[in-house]
């Protein structure tokens, strides 16, 4: 005889889920997680790779000069960074092409060459800063830069020459994960957490007012947090990974995680610089800063800080070189994908190798002012960024190309045009005060 207790039903008490409903939800959650892990990568890599050698130098020097008083700038830049990179991911998914290729198609050869020339110039100079950091850190670790820099260049070339996008992405994500050590170092230097929290949410002006140094470093912070190469890199990365319409939500989440991560790690770097500010310590470059902080962070902390500099330089170098190679390959009509083997895409891999090797060679020029180059490149990136965002804005408002689903909304346009105006304003003030230091006197 069949008993009532032997019958399985989906009926559950009011307010509770039935067993079958719970099972379905678990399957759906596993499916969403699996899908996200397949899509994730471009957003996280572009953000964390942006905390490169120039970022380490810029953020730590900002903390060393002004303490925690400019942490609010990082908080302000967090949503801006996300909105800009989300547009890039959306454009890459909608078109399946890189940004350089689309600019050529939609705006013509002249503007295409202008954008490409800007990108390649800033990218090359930024690459020089990555190898400059390798030189400084290796010297502080007791290794000759003439050996360490070429080894780093060869390693970077081998990193992308595997013929597999997935393999490159996994190795790069592993390097990204090492950035968690910045959190540990930030705790070890024992910052004033109350002051840091206050300065993160309450905008304030450091003592001395709007000086040349302050505007210079703010511009450098903006330039290193949102750099032109990021726009080209992530869109080409999305296209190379062949993400599609169904991947947009996961790609946005990937970008959001990256935006939060870059802000947290940047804040940690600023707190480490703040330890120099509180201790009245001085240094010429971040490598020397590691030695100056040894009484605070210990011998292993010093080694960890120098290794983090090297890791930041490697991450930045591979992303920036790929940004240039992808853009150049798109314009030249070459096969430009990490899925191809060396003999299948010789132009693409040659462009990557030439960029990497040339930048490494420039770093070895005797007497080169490496720290000054690092900071000025970040400022140059900040000055050139508005032009890149203007092109991005125009493309994201092209309803004919993108359709109603992917085109910018009104709030997107309001945020992005505000960023452009802000960056142009900062560039104008920086140029004005550099050319006429006494103007405007009431700001000093």
């Amino acid at each position: 005889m069949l008993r009532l207790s032997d019958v399985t039903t989906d009926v559950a008490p009011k307010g509770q889920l039935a067993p079958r409903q719970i099972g379905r939800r678990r399957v759906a959650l596993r499916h969403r997680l699996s899908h996200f892990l397949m899509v994730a990568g471009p957003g996280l890599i572009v953000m964390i790779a942006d905390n490169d050698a120039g970022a380490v130098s810029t953020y730590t020097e900002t903390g060393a000069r002004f303490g925690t008083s400019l942490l609010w700038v990082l908080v302000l830049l967090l949503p801006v960074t996300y909105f800009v990179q989300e547009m890039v991911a959306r454009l890459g998914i909608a078109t399946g092409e890189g940004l350089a290729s689309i600019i050529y198609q939609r705006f013509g050869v002249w503007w295409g060459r202008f954008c490409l020339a800007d990108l390649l110039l800033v990218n090359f100079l930024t690459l020089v800063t990555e190898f400059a950091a390798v030189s400084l850190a290796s010297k502080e670790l007791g290794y000759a830069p003439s050996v360490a820099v070429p080894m780093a260049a060869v390693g970077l070339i081998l990193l992308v020459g595997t013929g597999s996008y997935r393999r490159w992405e996994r190795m790069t994500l592993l390097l990204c994960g090492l950035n968690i050590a910045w959190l540990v170092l930030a705790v070890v230097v024992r910052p004033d957490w109350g002051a840091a929290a206050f300065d993160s949410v309450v905008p304030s002006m450091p003592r001395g007012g709007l000086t040349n140094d302050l505007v210079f470093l703010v511009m450098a912070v903006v330039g290193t947090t949102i750099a032109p190469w990021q726009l080209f890199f992530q869109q080409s990365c999305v296209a190379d990974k062949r993400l599609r319409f169904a991947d947009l939500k996961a790609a946005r989440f990937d970008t959001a995680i990256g935006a939060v991560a870059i802000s947290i790690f940047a804040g940690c770097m600023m707190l480490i610089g703040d330890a120099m500010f509180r201790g009245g310590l001085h240094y010429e470059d971040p490598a020397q800063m590691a030695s100056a902080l040894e009484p605070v962070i210990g011998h292993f902390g010093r080694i960890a800080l120098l290794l983090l500099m090297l890791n930041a330089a490697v991450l930045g170098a591979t992303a920036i070189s790929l940004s240039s190679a992808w853009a150049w390959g798109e314009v030249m009509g070459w096969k430009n994908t990490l899925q191809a083997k060396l003999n299948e895409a010789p132009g693409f891999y040659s462009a990557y190798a030439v960029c990497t090797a040339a930048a490494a060679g420039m770093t070895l020029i005797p007497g080169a002012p490496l720290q000054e180059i690092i900071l000025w490149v970040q400022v140059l990136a900040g000055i050139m960024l508005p032009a890149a965002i203007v092109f991005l804005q125009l493309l994201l408002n092209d309803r004919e190309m993108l359709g109603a689903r992917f085109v910018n909304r009104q709030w997107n346009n309001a945020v992005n045009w505000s960023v452009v105006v802000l960056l142009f304003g900062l560039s104008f003030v920086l140029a004005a005060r550099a050319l006429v230091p006494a103007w405007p006197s009431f700001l000093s």
Side-chain angles (χ1 to χ4, degrees):
M1 179 182 292
L2 181 66
R3 292 175 297 181
L4 186 61
S5 59
D6 295 328
V7 179
T8 302
T9 69
D10 281 335
V11 179
K14 187 177 181 180
Q16 296 182 17
L17 294 175
R20 185 173 298 177
Q21 291 175 308
I22 294 174
R24 286 172 179 169
R25 285 202 171 187
R26 286 175 179 169
V27 170
L29 180 61
R30 285 198 298 268
H31 174 74
R32 287 196 296 269
L33 180 59
S34 175
H35 179 241
F36 171 73
L37 292 176
M38 289 174 57
V39 172
L44 193 61
I45 290 172
V46 74
M47 294 295 189
I48 296 183
D50 189 46
N51 272 349
D52 59 356
V56 174
S57 181
T58 301
Y59 295 138
T60 54
E61 180 154 349
T62 301
R65 291 196 187 186
F66 301 109
T68 60
S69 60
L70 292 179
L71 280 172
W72 61 272
V73 176
L74 298 178
V75 176
L76 186 65
L77 287 173
L78 192 159
V80 174
T81 304
Y82 169 75
F83 290 137
V84 171
Q85 294 302 134
E86 184 275 338
M87 286 199 303
V88 172
R90 185 159 29 107
L91 187 60
I93 289 175
T95 63
E97 297 183 55
L99 185 55
S101 175
I102 295 176
I103 290 175
Y104 259 79
Q105 293 173 28
R106 305 301 286 187
F107 299 106
V109 175
W110 195 92
W111 285 112
R113 288 176 178 172
F114 171 79
C115 254
L116 184 63
D118 270 1
L119 175 71
L120 295 179
L121 173 63
V122 177
N123 277 9
F124 181 74
L125 293 175
T126 308
L127 266 178
V128 173
T129 70
E130 309 302 346
F131 286 106
V134 172
S135 175
L136 294 170
S138 61
K139 186 177 181 180
E140 200 69 24
L141 285 168
Y143 297 97
S146 58
V147 175
V149 171
M151 285 181 62
V154 171
L156 284 166
I157 294 171
L158 294 176
L159 179 65
V160 303
T162 62
S164 167
Y165 174 90
R166 288 286 184 185
R167 194 176 297 121
W168 168 83
E169 185 180 72
R170 287 168 185 158
M171 290 189 291
T172 307
L173 286 172
L174 178 62
L175 295 177
C176 288
L178 298 178
N179 279 265
I180 295 174
W182 286 112
L183 297 171
V184 178
L185 286 178
V187 172
V188 171
V189 297
R190 298 178 182 176
D192 184 338
W193 293 108
F198 180 84
D199 288 334
S200 296
V201 296
V202 180
S204 60
M205 185 70 68
R207 294 177 183 177
L210 193 60
T211 62
N212 284 343
D213 285 347
L214 175 61
V215 176
F216 181 88
L217 278 175
V218 168
M219 197 68 198
V221 167
V222 173
T224 196
T225 306
I226 313 171
W229 68 261
Q230 291 176 259
L231 311 182
F232 290 83
F233 173 84
Q234 187 172 1
Q235 185 165 336
S236 295
C237 201
V238 164
D240 202 346
K241 197 169 183 178
R242 300 173 185 173
L243 300 186
R244 294 297 178 259
F245 300 139
D247 303 323
L248 179 58
K249 186 179 292 186
R252 283 172 168 161
F253 190 47
D254 175 42
T255 303
I257 293 174
V260 172
I262 188 179
S263 299
I264 292 174
F265 296 144
C268 291
M269 295 175 198
M270 206 172 282
L271 290 177
I272 292 169
D274 173 61
M276 303 290 292
F277 178 78
R278 289 182 283 115
L281 304 173
H282 300 282
Y283 67 99
E284 295 296 326
D285 58 67
Q288 291 183 12
M289 180 187 69
S291 296
L293 279 174
E294 187 168 359
V296 179
I297 61 179
H299 175 70
F300 290 108
R302 171 181 171 273
I303 299 298
L305 186 51
L306 292 170
L307 291 178
L308 282 173
M309 275 188 64
L310 290 173
N311 182 60
V314 169
L315 267 174
T318 187
I320 294 163
S321 296
L322 275 174
S323 171
S324 295
W326 266 321
W328 185 254
E330 289 162 11
V331 170
M332 297 299 292
W334 295 337
K335 186 172 185 178
N336 58 326
T337 172
L338 290 172
Q339 303 286 3
K341 298 187 182 302
L342 293 175
N343 61 336
E344 296 173 340
F348 169 68
Y349 287 112
S350 295
Y352 177 90
V354 168
C355 289
T356 303
M362 281 198 67
T363 306
L364 297 177
I365 296 175
L370 300 182
Q371 175 67 357
E372 287 79 5
I373 292 174
I374 289 173
L375 286 176
W376 271 106
V377 166
Q378 311 313 314
V379 174
L380 181 62
I383 292 173
M384 290 187 171
L385 178 63
I389 296 182
V390 167
F391 281 108
L392 187 62
Q393 268 290 93
L394 295 174
L395 288 169
L396 264 298
N397 282 281
D398 191 333
R399 190 173 293 271
E400 179 185 346
M401 179 175 68
L402 299 181
R405 180 178 181 184
F406 288 93
V407 77
N408 262 2
R409 302 295 184 262
Q410 288 187 352
W411 64 266
N412 278 127
N413 292 326
V415 169
N416 297 328
W417 286 122
S418 298
V419 172
V420 171
V421 171
L422 173 64
L423 291 175
F424 271 122
L426 283 172
S427 302
F428 172 76
V429 172
L430 178 66
R433 289 191 65 83
L435 295 172
V436 188
W439 182 88
S441 58
F442 64 87
L443 292 176
S444 300

